[in-house]
Amino acid sequence: MLATGLVALAVSAPQTAGAQSDTGFAVAGHGILVATGSADLEVRVDVDDDLGMFEIPSPEDLRVSGGVGGRFEILPVPQFSTGLQVSYARQRTSEETDHSWRDVDLWLAARLPAEVGARGVSVVPYVAAPVGLSILVGRLPSSSDERRLGWNLSALLGVEVEATKGFALYLEGGWLMRQARSSGDSAFGDYRLTFTTHQFVLHLGIRGSRSR
């Protein structure tokens, strides 16, 4: 439903004459600023002696951190882009635990291309919803696993401003959720760890495009 909504928004967007040429593909790279957020470590244990299941929530605060990312986009029409995004980010919690995330996402964005000023500078506001797989690297309490597979979802607002022909600077920010899980055996029974983070992210980068 999210992807359908983005496509519908893109199709209904108005076009400008200059924006008609913005089809083809693009490559972008950006730095990542991860602002403070929240992290929750939930521990579920299936106790062997039929005492049932109990949960141990462990909320933590996330500290400011950083990373890098990049993506490849295909633009079938000026108002919509899709592609592949990859990113790497470090993460530190208030409990001084240190983790890193590797993300591989499907990029979906609805774009509103326009030209402003006497020189006709291209300015493109957009809304994006990357979604995909995450790998959490780093140990969590009560677990010896160092790598866990999970998933992520973002909701971003951004704007591109043409710097020179074929290149633009962009700034985007919004909400990012990641989740990873781990399971194993303990003296009390089988356990499952669920590590979930919610935070605000800010990307600043450069984008090169080539029209068809």
Side-chain angles (χ1 to χ4, degrees):
M1 293 180 63
L2 182 60
T4 303
L6 286 173
V7 173
L9 178 61
V11 171
S12 63
Q15 298 184 25
T16 66
Q20 294 287 346
S21 63
D22 191 14
T23 61
F25 66 89
V27 177
H30 55 257
I32 303 172
L33 174 65
V34 182
T36 56
S38 64
D40 184 74
L41 175 63
E42 182 184 76
V43 183
R44 294 190 177 189
V45 181
D46 294 313
V47 183
D48 292 331
D49 56 4
D50 297 327
L51 292 179
M53 175 185 293
F54 64 92
E55 300 181 12
I56 309 173
S58 178
E60 301 180 35
D61 293 327
L62 297 177
R63 296 185 174 179
V64 175
S65 58
V68 294
R71 60 178 175 260
F72 175 78
E73 300 177 45
I74 298 174
L75 291 86
V77 294
Q79 296 81 19
F80 179 73
S81 73
T82 184
L84 183 70
Q85 176 173 269
V86 295
S87 61
Y88 166 84
R90 297 294 297 271
Q91 190 175 79
R92 183 176 292 274
T93 71
S94 57
E95 301 299 322
E96 298 299 330
T97 56
D98 196 7
H99 311 94
S100 64
W101 294 91
R102 280 79 161 168
D103 301 326
V104 179
D105 298 328
L106 173 65
W107 173 263
L108 298 168
R111 300 160 53 84
L112 299 173
E115 293 182 352
V116 299
R119 296 176 55 192
V121 176
S122 175
V123 177
V124 185
Y126 59 91
V127 57
V131 59
L133 297 177
S134 293
I135 298 176
L136 172 63
V137 180
R139 293 187 177 182
L140 297 177
S142 305
S143 174
S144 60
D145 294 344
E146 294 188 353
R147 292 177 182 267
R148 299 165 196 81
L149 183 64
W151 68 288
N152 70 85
L153 175 65
S154 301
L156 303 173
L157 290 175
V159 62
E160 296 172 14
V161 179
E162 182 182 21
T164 185
K165 184 174 177 60
F167 290 92
L169 300 177
Y170 65 92
L171 178 68
E172 59 194 28
W175 165 81
L176 167 63
M177 186 279 294
R178 293 186 179 105
Q179 186 177 92
R181 292 183 176 182
S182 177
S183 60
D185 299 323
S186 71
F188 301 100
D190 297 335
Y191 69 85
R192 185 179 69 183
L193 304 179
T194 303
F195 186 65
T196 306
T197 65
H198 297 271
Q199 54 201 149
F200 176 79
V201 294
L202 195 63
H203 301 163
L204 176 63
I206 186 169
R207 178 179 183 270
S209 62
R210 182 170 181 177
S211 301
R212 290 185 296 187

